[in-house]
Amino acid sequence: MPNTDLAGAARQLLLYTLWADRVCLRAVEQVKPEDLIRPTGTSFGSLLGTLAHILVAQRLWLSRFEGNPLDRLPALADYPDRDTLFSAWSETAAELGFFLAALTPDQLAADLTWRTTEGRLYTRPLWQPVLHLINHTTYHRGQVISLLRQLGHPAPSTDLIYFLIDQSNQPAP
């Protein structure tokens, strides 16, 4: 029998992901174009590269969740500037919202089979890759926040507790 508590937690964490992404992207709106592409010595080369990595991963996982394999994996170079990235992010956020709205406890408990970009086949209950998407996004969003600080820009707090407080309409501590 599916665990409805797990479904509620997964739904809440997906809502958190959408919220935290919006908060993060609002901060990135203020970044000068040259700082977006400034080499940072990080895994994805720059602030823009790190954001593009998050977006590519979200698009890939959503395609797997929905059973609609991508014709081709988007590349970081597909998002050469803020406008292109933000436009694609808006589309992906809407798609994630639709996925979230339709998500049921039975779906979360059901197996998902997917092939990695290296060709390996895996099968896991859907809730596991959903939580992976959330965790992966949170991890790299933290890198974006660090890069904002290192580049001298204000960095927002995207901590889960602030989302939960925001959702309850209580003042933050």
Side-chain angles (χ1 to χ4, degrees), residues 25-102:
L25 292 175
R26 274 196 300 273
V28 171
E29 286 177 344
Q30 308 308 313
V31 175
K32 296 177 273 184
E34 59 270 20
D35 281 347
L36 281 175
I37 60 171
R38 185 179 312 280
T40 57
T42 55
S43 298
F44 304 102
S46 67
L47 180 57
L48 185 66
T50 304
L51 288 164
H53 172 73
I54 295 169
L55 177 62
V56 168
Q58 286 185 359
R59 291 178 86 101
L60 177 61
W61 279 108
L62 273 170
S63 74
R64 292 169 175 164
F65 298 163
E66 296 169 342
N68 297 321
L70 297 174
D71 293 333
R72 75 171 188 84
L73 184 64
L76 301 183
D78 291 335
Y79 311 105
D81 56 45
R82 181 184 6 243
D83 290 344
T84 305
L85 179 86
F86 278 25
S87 176
W89 207 301
S90 178
E91 291 172 15
T92 302
E95 189 176 339
L96 184 57
F98 290 132
F99 171 76
L100 167 63

Side-chain angles (χ1 to χ4, degrees), residues 67-167:
N68 297 321
L70 297 174
D71 293 333
R72 75 171 188 84
L73 184 64
L76 301 183
D78 291 335
Y79 311 105
D81 56 45
R82 181 184 6 243
D83 290 344
T84 305
L85 179 86
F86 278 25
S87 176
W89 207 301
S90 178
E91 291 172 15
T92 302
E95 189 176 339
L96 184 57
F98 290 132
F99 171 76
L100 167 63
L103 192 59
T104 68
D106 289 336
Q107 287 171 311
L108 281 168
D111 282 345
L112 173 72
T113 299
W114 74 93
R115 190 167 300 281
T116 67
T117 55
E118 295 83 26
R120 293 185 65 189
L121 196 63
Y122 289 97
T123 299
R124 306 297 310 157
L126 178 61
W127 70 266
Q128 291 179 3
V130 166
L131 292 184
H132 169 73
L133 176 141
I134 295 161
N135 185 64
H136 180 267
T137 299
T138 301
Y139 175 79
H140 288 297
R141 192 183 318 105
Q143 291 177 325
V144 168
I145 300 301
S146 291
L147 288 171
L148 284 168
R149 285 190 187 106
Q150 290 170 11
L151 292 167
H153 298 281
S157 177
T158 58
D159 289 337
L160 175 62
I161 194 64
Y162 293 114
F163 163 74
L164 296 170
I165 290 167
D166 185 58
Q167 297 301 297

Side-chain angles (χ1 to χ4, degrees), residues 11-26:
R11 293 172 71 80
Q12 192 74 348
L13 288 170
L14 285 167
L15 286 170
Y16 160 69
T17 297
L18 289 166
W19 174 88
D21 285 353
R22 280 192 307 273
V23 169
C24 189
L25 292 175
R26 274 196 300 273

